[in-house]
Amino acid sequence: MRFIPQKIAGVFVVEAEPHRDERGHFARVFCADEFARAGIEFATAQINLSGNLAAGTLRGLHYKEPPFAEAKFVRAVRGRAFDVVVDLRAGSATRGQWLGVVLECHAMNGVFVPEGCAHGFLTLEDDSELLYQMGRAFVEGHGLGVRWNDPAFGIAWPAAPAVISPRDAGYADWLGINSGRRN
């Protein structure tokens, strides 16, 4: 596995290194020991699968605050998605910055999202599925979010969403990149 640090501290693109032969391929897509050697302490407490019927489905931008904050490792297991991470951590040098990564099932890449960052994605193909390894089990009532097109972030999405839930469409803008306040 290759761990590629990104411009937001603690965020890594993780690429599998598949072994290919006449049967197809075999790849390690997660190994706690390899994560630890890359400086990422991450234990999987829960695994979620997000099935998305249509290209242009947007989910996010979701996050949780301590003590419910979640680290996650996300990959496409079918299709493709434009995956976005936004740094919301107080005191972070990259607070308010975002990065986008195209996750593709055939590329076998994933993104590690540390606690304190918002996360979301826009599917680029019909029938795309994303697998989430979560560092903390879900606790009802603690999910938060910020608007996917908040001008404070200026995320360059590849397209406007065709499908978005009322909850995700209704999130407020995040205030406080400089002041520490937010909705």
Side-chain angles (χ1 to χ4, degrees):
M1 296 170 58
R2 288 184 298 271
F3 294 84
I4 304 162
Q6 302 298 296
K7 71 178 184 179
I8 295 176
V11 177
F12 291 83
V13 169
V14 182
E15 296 178 342
E17 298 177 299
H19 300 279
R20 299 180 191 280
D21 63 22
E22 65 280 353
R23 298 168 295 172
H25 66 267
F26 182 87
R28 181 180 304 174
V29 295
F30 178 78
C31 175
D33 290 342
E34 288 191 44
F35 267 60
R37 280 193 294 276
I40 305 167
E41 295 301 323
F42 180 69
T44 300
Q46 180 174 308
I47 298 176
N48 304 323
L49 183 64
S50 173
N52 304 276
L53 298 175
T57 298
L58 191 138
R59 293 185 187 250
L61 298 163
H62 304 142
Y63 69 100
K64 291 184 178 157
E65 293 183 331
F68 303 101
E70 307 167 318
K72 57 188 83 167
F73 180 46
V74 183
R75 69 175 50 256
V77 293
R78 184 188 312 181
R80 294 183 320 127
F82 182 72
D83 198 85
V84 171
V85 179
V86 180
D87 189 350
L88 301 180
R89 298 171 292 186
S92 171
T94 54
R95 187 171 195 216
Q97 293 183 28
W98 67 277
L99 66 90
V101 177
V102 175
L103 300 180
E104 301 181 74
C105 67
H106 298 296
M108 292 188 226
N109 63 338
V111 65
F112 178 78
V113 181
E115 292 182 6
C117 291
H119 173 259
F121 64 84
L122 179 74
T123 58
L124 301 174
E125 294 180 6
D126 291 345
D127 297 317
S128 291
E129 292 184 347
L130 276 72
L131 184 79
Y132 287 59
Q133 289 177 244
M134 306 299 296
R136 183 165 280 134
F138 176 77
V139 178
E140 183 70 38
H142 296 283
L144 300 170
V146 290
R147 192 161 58 96
W148 67 275
N149 60 350
D150 185 336
F153 305 131
I155 298 169
W157 295 95
V163 180
I164 185 171
S165 73
R167 179 186 69 152
D168 288 354
Y171 282 131
D173 287 348
W174 183 71
L175 305 175
I177 291 174
N178 296 312
S179 68
R181 297 171 312 168
R182 65 166 172 68
N183 284 340

